[in-house]
Amino acid sequence: MYTLSAGIWEKFFKKKDYYVVIVGLDNAGKTTFLEQTKSHFVKDYGVLNPSKITATVGLNTGNVELNNTCLHFWDLGGQESLRELWATYYDDANAMIFVVDATRSDLFPIVASQFKEVMANEIVQNIPVLVAVNKSEMEGAAAAAEVRMLLEDDNHRSDLAVLPVSALEGTNIERCVHWIVRSLASQPLYL
């Protein structure tokens, strides 16, 4: 009887820890996305002034609790010299957010190439991936549907979402986090 009770308690009350890696080219808005995520979900969190956010060299982290789920975010630098390090974080990742700057259509060929490289990783093929089309509120920004077509992977995965966001304004940040949580909850228990 104890085992049954302990199992029920664990299923409904124990916090589940998940690790979410955030990648994308430099200046796409990854750190601002993370800061907005923390400001939306961490009580009394004082968000950094966006003008004070500089290029990430290495890693930024953040933790968010939502119901019985704790998301641990790793925001990785997007400079060309740092991209080869991204794969070292995939082993421990349960989900990924790939941030795209919707205003930099000149970089879309590089974005598409990097995305295909990321998606070719065997570990990434087994985790939910959210593409955050950032700066979508700005004039001339590409629509999320256009970015989806640019990045469309051959598998047409059901655990891939492409959502327009504004990390600066916080638009759709909560929607992105809720999508990640729902996707993780539907994954097999061995994660």
Side-chain angles (χ1 to χ4, degrees), residues 10-26:
E10 187 171 310
K11 177 161 177 62
F12 291 106
F13 298 107
K14 183 179 179 192
K15 291 222 181 282
K16 296 174 188 85
D17 288 303
Y18 295 106
Y19 296 87
V20 181
V21 64
I22 304 173
V23 296
L25 301 186
D26 52 321

Side-chain angles (χ1 to χ4, degrees), residues 65-171:
E65 289 189 21
L66 185 64
N67 300 325
N68 66 338
T69 302
C70 185
L71 300 176
H72 305 278
F73 290 96
W74 297 321
D75 160 29
L76 305 180
Q79 296 88 341
E80 188 173 355
S81 61
L82 298 176
R83 292 178 206 152
E84 64 188 40
L85 300 175
W86 291 354
T88 61
Y89 290 87
Y90 299 163
D91 283 340
D92 297 317
N94 302 106
M96 173 182 288
I97 299 172
F98 191 97
V99 180
V100 176
D101 181 342
T103 66
R104 294 295 310 269
S105 59
D106 59 314
L107 295 177
F108 283 178
I110 298 168
V111 169
S113 172
Q114 286 298 304
F115 185 74
K116 286 180 188 358
E117 186 176 322
V118 166
M119 296 301 283
N121 183 286
E122 187 176 329
I123 294 166
V124 175
Q125 291 174 10
N126 295 304
I127 62 175
V129 176
L130 171 79
V131 177
V133 182
N134 191 28
K135 304 178 188 178
S136 60
E137 82 287 3
M138 298 181 81
E139 188 174 326
E146 181 182 343
V147 173
R148 177 182 278 282
M149 288 179 55
L150 170 78
L151 303 179
E152 192 67 51
D153 74 306
D154 299 329
N155 301 325
H156 303 289
R157 296 169 43 151
S158 62
D159 59 349
L160 172 70
V162 180
L163 297 173
V165 301
S166 170
L168 195 59
E169 296 175 359
T171 307

